[in-house]
Amino acid sequence: MRVVYSPRYQIDIGPHVFPTRKYQLVYARLIELGVIQPSEVFEPEPAGWDELGLVHTAEYLAKMRDGTLSREELAELELPWSAAMVEGFRLMVGGTVQAGLIACGLGTQKLKETPGPVCHLGGGLHHAFPNHGEGFCPFNDVAVAARALQARGVERVAIIDLDVHHGNGTAFIFNPRVAPPPPDKGVLGARGASPPLAAAAGARLERGLSPPWDPDASVFTFSMHQQSNYPMWKPRGTFDIGLPGGTGDARYLRELGQALPKVMASEPQCVFYLAGADPYEDDQLGGLRLTQQGLRQRDRLVIETVRLAAVPLVVTLAGGYARRVEDTVAIHAATIEEAVNATLRST
């Protein structure tokens, strides 16, 4: 098994619904259970500013680096700025990039050939746009990793986003022309954002971007999420399924089983899987009402589908905000267990 993780992912963001300590807890739980061994874990380097520039605008990166985000931009990001916060998330982006390189056999590490997924105990920051951050996501790690792979010769990438929230930043990055403008003032923006904040966010979508903004056929984005949930404005990705609140295990798994063949028909050379824990029935920010067993079945379905297609797979954790952090940890740990099981089936 190949795992990317750093204890520095436990970023101090003060009292917050986003439990950054979950990363350390997941790692400790996996070691305790014997699911992974310390020797299988690679600690990443932070993504360079030039690497972040594969996706993000120079103006936005300068604001993040220098701490000059406006009050409105911080409200939309929903994180307090600090140099430590920026460095922690740069490191997490580097982790997803490294996981992608390892999965595709492009890493600098001298590894024996090992089938199966590469798991990043972090990442899945899908709300970050090219020129601003949203919803706890300063940088879009999966988008940066996809571009980093393409810069090294990987032609086609697929992103399977099963966080409870739509991957709005990812959809816009790869499909900007098909993204409609915000339908009304007050629709775009942070949870509970005021109309002025939303209007300002909409005006920023084009800042720093260079036309033409053609949809990128080389990156297939698939998001299956709760439709009546954050973000209110959901740019269209390649393939989106918005589910009603209270969907539950049976319908969710049925919809997913029907959708995955369409994703794999794009013939990706690498797949990124955002295995969010927040579709869980007791998540504070989600309402799809999946059980822990249903989430494990979800993970098994995705991982096995990609394995049978013999395509490199990177698993990221994405969101998880259960009332009991132990539940979030258990869900994420089960995801990694399913990845380990897939590795064993491949040997």
Side-chain angles (χ1 to χ4, degrees):
M1 189 62 195
R2 297 159 300 174
V3 176
V4 178
Y5 164 75
S6 172
R8 291 180 285 166
Y9 290 170
Q10 186 169 339
I11 303 161
D12 183 6
I13 55 174
H16 205 284
V17 71
F18 177 15
T20 61
R21 65 191 178 103
K22 75 175 185 176
Y23 303 115
Q24 188 276 328
L25 294 173
V26 171
Y27 172 77
R29 180 67 173 156
L30 292 169
I31 295 293
E32 177 189 0
L33 294 173
V35 175
I36 63 173
Q37 302 299 320
S39 60
E40 299 172 313
V41 179
F42 300 90
E43 181 157 353
E45 295 294 325
W49 292 101
D50 55 342
E51 210 163 33
L52 294 172
L54 294 171
V55 167
H56 297 288
T57 66
E59 178 186 6
Y60 175 60
L61 293 177
K63 288 182 178 182
M64 287 297 300
R65 184 174 54 245
D66 301 336
T68 55
L69 295 170
S70 69
R71 184 168 55 185
E72 290 78 10
E73 288 168 324
L74 287 170
E76 196 168 30
L77 178 58
E78 300 183 80
L79 291 174
W81 186 91
S82 69
M85 182 276 285
V86 173
E87 290 307 297
F89 282 104
R90 279 183 62 210
L91 183 65
M92 202 175 293
V93 176
T96 301
V97 171
Q98 182 172 4
L101 294 174
I102 294 172
C104 293
L106 300 171
T108 57
Q109 297 84 1
K110 296 189 180 300
L111 302 170
K112 65 178 182 180
E113 287 296 319
T114 305
V118 177
C119 294
H120 180 204
L121 304 186
L125 308 172
H126 59 168
H127 295 311
F129 283 72
N131 53 14
H132 69 280
E134 292 187 13
F136 320 151
C137 301
F139 309 115
N140 196 308
D141 63 305
V142 171
V144 172
R147 290 300 191 216
L149 290 182
Q150 290 182 323
R152 291 165 173 83
V154 175
E155 295 179 354
R156 296 180 305 280
V157 173
I159 298 169
I160 298 173
D161 188 342
L162 299 184
D163 192 275
V164 78
H165 305 107
H166 176 261
N168 57 338
T170 305
F172 183 86
I173 287 165
F174 296 113
N175 298 275
R177 179 161 286 178
V178 301
D184 294 294
K185 290 183 179 180
V187 173
L188 182 65
R191 279 163 266 264
S194 65
L197 287 184
R204 282 203 309 279
L205 286 176
E206 300 181 6
R207 185 182 302 162
L209 303 183
S210 300
W213 301 344
D214 294 318
D216 188 342
S218 70
V219 180
F220 189 106
T221 66
F222 168 52
S223 177
M224 191 164 82
H225 49 270
Q226 183 182 353
Q227 187 66 20
S228 58
N229 202 330
Y230 177 91
M232 293 187 70
W233 179 56
K234 299 174 175 64
R236 291 193 301 276
T238 314
F239 182 28
D240 294 320
I241 298 176
L243 297 171
T247 289
D249 292 348
R251 177 176 174 182
Y252 187 99
L253 294 169
R254 183 171 65 250
E255 295 271 5
L256 180 59
Q258 294 169 351
L260 288 175
K262 183 173 181 178
V263 178
M264 301 311 295
S266 69
E267 299 184 339
Q269 295 167 312
C270 184
V271 173
F272 289 88
Y273 171 36
L274 283 69
D278 44 10
Y280 176 51
E281 60 188 345
D282 199 35
D283 194 271
Q284 298 176 85
L285 301 183
L288 287 178
R289 307 291 296 170
L290 271 66
T291 65
Q292 290 194 34
Q293 184 57 35
L295 288 164
R296 182 184 281 270
Q297 290 178 264
R298 173 203 69 173
D299 295 335
R300 187 179 306 145
L301 180 57
V302 173
I303 293 167
E304 189 67 4
T305 296
V306 179
R307 184 187 75 85
L308 291 174
V311 175
L313 173 63
V314 175
V315 179
T316 66
L317 299 188
Y321 317 95
R323 288 175 176 82
R324 297 177 64 253
V325 71
E326 295 85 358
D327 289 343
T328 297
V329 170
I331 293 164
H332 286 320
T335 299
I336 308 307
E337 285 185 284
E338 290 301 321
V340 170
N341 292 339
T343 301
L344 295 174
R345 287 193 292 272
S346 298
T347 56

